[in-house]
């Protein structure tokens, strides 16, 4: 084992000794292109990179007539200037994809590009460089089988004209992505979407600013610009994506970010209809899916401050007399504007304290009270319909109180003994008195008996003497 370890150490040292100082792996980049695309079609270019260090940059030179559309990298990492598109990479970004629109002219075209590593050393991007653009072949009326390439959809989105292939079933053959001139609205129609106009493949897509959109609902505002998408009969399956960007500092008074929605105008009902929307308050975006075209806008409803109280908490369930109890409650402003709320604390149905707080729309704050009660007993706590309780325990007796209580018990016991003794004496005296009275009665009875017996005897004696 020791011999194997020694051999490994020697091998590492020898390798380090014979390796030229400063040798590093060369950066590399590879491009993947489709062999051919139709004129004006959107298609994807895949880029793979390696060993560029902590950061790098891919610079792509697009052929004449081709235009950059989008990328899987963040918008901040892309700088598109005509036919030159620069992609900034951070360590970990080894692959990405970007979408371009092909030239409207058929022919063979070449891509080229370089990869710069962290030392700004440039390397050619290898892989595919050639692509063929073919002219569309329009089918004759009534011809073509179901699902086969049939035609192009002409797009004029925010003033940018393009076209994308669509088959006879209305299936879009390339992803359509367009961003408004102000950068606040992006529409994405994924490849494979069925786009129809009265059950026929969609022939065109348009989008432009609506300078005079319909009035929003009462107490609501159109946020930013409204956009009119056409044709009005266009439908999409699955639904396509609209993503708006908004400026939170530009929102009208009383409109909260969380309450923003993307809405469309229903001309038949003459009203705005809200869509299920996802608001990202961190990135200030709002996204919704739409299945048809009409007028779209962000709608923000002005709502006054509204408060909800929750999470009543009492620090202790039982305390000693005079000990503080902390009572807290959460107050949330669910309205659309900043406002003030007065929180009232009641104990045993009597107002104990109150506190006013000012809370921004969509925010919450904790309100705390501290109370102390001297009298032992149970106390009911109530705040705006929320309730709880705490108990003040009776205090433990002091040593002096214990001694006094024992003395009272002793005195009480002695008093009971004295009372019992007095009661016994009284009973004995009553018995003695009763005994004396009984002898008098007996004597009287005996005397009566003697008299009763003596009188007849005396009378008899007296008669004999007279006789």
């Amino acid at each position: 084992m020791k011999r194997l370890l020694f051999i490994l150490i020697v091998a590492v040292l020898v390798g380090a000794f014979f390796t030229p100082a400063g040798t590093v792996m060369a950066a590399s980049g590879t491009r993947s292109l489709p062999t051919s695309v139709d004129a004006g079609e959107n298609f994807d270019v895949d880029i793979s990179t390696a060993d560029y260090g902590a950061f790098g940059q891919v610079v792509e030179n697009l052929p004449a007539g081709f235009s950059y559309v989008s990328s899987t990298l963040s918008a901040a990492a892309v700088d598109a200037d005509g036919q030159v598109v620069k992609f900034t990479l951070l360590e970990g970004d080894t692959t990405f994809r970007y979408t371009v629109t092909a030239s409207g002219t058929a022919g063979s075209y070449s891509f080229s590009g370089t990869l710069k590593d962290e030392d700004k050393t440039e390397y050619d991007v290898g892989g595919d460089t050639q692509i063929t653009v073919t002219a569309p072949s329009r089918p004759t009326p009534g011809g073509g089988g179901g699902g086969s390439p049939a035609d192009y959809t002409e797009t004029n989105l925010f003033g940018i004209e393009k076209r994308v292939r669509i088959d006879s079933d209305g299936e879009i053959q390339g992803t359509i992505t367009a961003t408004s001139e102000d950068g606040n609205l992006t529409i994405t129609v994924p490849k494979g979407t069925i786009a129809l106009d009265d059950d026929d493949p969609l022939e065109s897509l348009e989008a432009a600013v609506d300078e005079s959109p319909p009035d929003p609902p009462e107490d609501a505002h159109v946020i930013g610009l409204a956009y009119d998408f056409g044709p009005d009969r266009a439908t999409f399956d699955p639904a396509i994506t609209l993503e708006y960007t908004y400026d939170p500092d530009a929102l009208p008074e009383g409109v909260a970010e969380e309450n923003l929605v993307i809405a469309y105008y229903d001309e038949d009902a003459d009203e705005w209809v809200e869509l299920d929307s996802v608001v990202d308050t961190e990135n200030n975006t709002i996204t919704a899916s739409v299945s048809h075209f009409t007028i779209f806008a962000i709608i923000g409803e002005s709502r006054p401050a509204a408060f909800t109280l929750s999470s009543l908490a009492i620090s202790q369930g039982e305390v000693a007399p005079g000990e503080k109890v902390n009572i807290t409650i959460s107050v949330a402003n669910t309205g659309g504007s900043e406002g003030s709320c007065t929180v009232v604390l009641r104990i045993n149905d009597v107002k104990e304290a109150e506190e006013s707080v000012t809370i921004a729309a969509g925010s919450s704050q904790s309100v705390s009270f501290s109370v102390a009660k001297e009298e032992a007993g149970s106390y009911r706590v109530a705040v705006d319909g929320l309730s709880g309780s705490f108990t003040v325990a009776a205090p433990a007796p002091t040593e002096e109180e214990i001694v006094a209580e024992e003395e009272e018990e002793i005195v009480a016991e002695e008093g009971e003994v004295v009372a019992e003794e007095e009661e016994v004496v009284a009973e004995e005296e009553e018995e003695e008195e009763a005994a004396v009275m009984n002898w008098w009665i007996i004597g009287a009875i005996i005397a009566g008996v003697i008299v009763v017996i003596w009188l007849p005897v005396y009378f008899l004696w007296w008669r004999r003497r007279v006789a």
Side-chain angles (χ1 to χ4, degrees):
M1 182 67 182
K2 292 182 179 179
R3 183 178 179 183
L4 178 58
L5 181 59
F6 175 76
I7 293 173
L8 290 173
I9 294 174
V10 171
V12 171
L13 292 175
V14 170
F17 180 79
F18 286 102
T19 300
T23 299
V24 294
M25 297 295 292
S28 63
T30 304
R31 181 189 308 104
S32 296
L33 295 170
T35 303
S36 64
V37 294
D38 290 330
E41 181 181 357
N42 283 6
F43 65 94
D44 296 328
V45 180
D46 292 315
I47 300 292
S48 299
T49 62
D51 302 319
Y52 57 78
F55 56 89
Q57 186 179 66
V58 172
V59 180
E60 284 281 87
N61 299 300
L62 305 184
F66 286 60
S67 59
Y68 171 79
V69 177
S70 62
S71 168
T72 56
L73 296 176
S74 66
V78 181
D79 178 16
D81 184 10
Q83 305 309 112
V84 179
V85 186
K86 298 177 181 179
F87 303 93
T88 300
L89 308 176
L90 297 178
E91 188 174 13
D93 294 331
T94 57
T95 62
F96 67 92
R97 171 178 294 175
Y98 68 94
T99 303
V100 297
T101 302
S103 170
T105 303
S108 180
Y109 295 86
S110 298
F111 280 74
S112 65
T114 58
L115 169 62
K116 294 181 181 180
D117 65 12
E118 62 182 354
D119 297 322
K120 297 186 178 180
T121 302
E122 295 187 3
Y123 304 87
D124 289 335
V125 175
D128 299 333
T129 60
Q130 299 295 315
I131 188 170
T132 300
V133 176
T134 59
S137 57
R138 298 178 179 270
T140 58
S148 61
D151 212 334
Y152 278 85
T153 294
E154 305 291 339
T155 68
N156 185 352
L157 301 174
F158 314 115
I160 301 175
E161 296 183 1
K162 295 182 181 179
R163 61 178 179 168
V164 64
R165 195 67 178 267
I166 187 170
D167 71 14
S168 58
D169 288 335
E171 181 176 337
I172 298 291
Q173 302 298 299
T175 298
I176 302 172
T177 302
T179 301
S180 61
E181 186 176 355
D182 60 8
N184 290 337
L185 172 60
T186 298
I187 177 175
T188 302
V189 184
K191 178 180 179 180
T193 300
I194 303 299
L196 301 175
D197 184 354
D198 281 344
D199 297 329
D200 293 325
L202 193 64
E203 295 183 355
S204 64
L205 290 175
E206 303 92 25
V209 174
D210 190 328
E211 301 291 350
S212 56
D215 292 333
E218 186 178 359
D219 298 326
H221 306 266
V222 172
I223 309 300
L225 298 175
Y227 292 89
D228 189 359
F229 289 83
D232 292 340
R233 299 176 304 278
T235 60
F236 304 91
D237 183 20
I240 63 176
T241 301
L242 295 182
E243 181 180 84
Y244 276 87
T245 300
Y246 63 89
D247 181 359
D249 296 328
L251 296 180
E253 179 68 24
V255 176
E257 292 181 71
E258 295 80 0
N259 299 326
L260 297 177
V261 295
I262 295 177
Y264 70 87
Y265 188 71
D266 187 332
E267 293 184 357
D268 294 333
D270 191 24
E271 65 180 7
W272 288 93
V273 179
E274 296 181 359
L275 295 169
D276 291 334
S277 307
V278 178
V279 179
D280 183 347
T281 57
E282 183 175 342
N283 296 308
N284 305 131
T285 62
I286 178 170
T287 306
S289 297
V290 301
S291 58
H292 68 285
F293 271 174
T294 181
I295 300 172
F296 293 90
I298 298 179
I299 299 294
E301 182 182 359
S302 294
R303 296 195 297 172
F307 299 96
T308 301
L309 278 65
S310 62
S311 304
L312 175 66
I314 301 173
S315 61
Q316 300 180 79
E318 182 174 293
V319 295
E323 185 178 355
K324 289 184 178 180
V325 176
N326 294 319
I327 300 169
T328 60
I329 192 165
S330 177
V331 183
N333 183 353
T334 58
S337 59
E338 182 180 79
S340 296
C341 173
T342 299
V343 182
V344 178
L345 170 66
R346 296 182 181 277
I347 295 182
N348 288 348
D349 298 327
V350 177
K351 180 179 176 181
E352 178 76 15
E354 67 178 35
E355 184 173 343
S356 294
V357 290
T358 300
I359 305 175
S363 299
S364 61
Q365 182 176 328
S366 291
V367 177
S368 298
F369 298 95
S370 182
V371 298
K373 296 296 182 180
E374 298 292 341
E375 186 177 348
S378 179
Y379 292 86
R380 299 184 307 278
V381 177
V383 181
D384 192 41
L386 302 174
S387 61
S389 65
F390 66 91
T391 301
V392 176
T398 63
E399 186 176 350
E400 291 78 5
E401 290 174 335
I402 294 175
V403 171
E405 185 177 354
E406 291 177 349
E407 291 177 349
E408 290 177 359
E409 291 178 353
I410 293 173
V411 170
E413 290 177 355
E414 291 178 347
E416 291 177 357
V417 171
V418 170
E420 291 177 354
E421 291 178 349
E422 290 178 350
E423 184 177 352
V424 169
V425 170
E427 291 178 353
E428 291 176 349
E429 290 177 350
E430 289 178 357
E431 290 177 355
E432 290 178 357
E433 290 177 358
V436 172
M437 292 180 64
N438 291 338
W439 283 113
W440 280 103
I441 294 172
I442 294 172
I445 294 173
I446 294 173
V449 171
I450 293 173
V451 170
V452 170
I453 297 174
W454 180 79
L455 283 176
V457 172
Y458 175 78
F459 182 74
L460 181 61
W461 174 78
W462 182 78
R463 286 187 65 178
R464 286 180 178 180
R465 186 179 176 185
V466 171

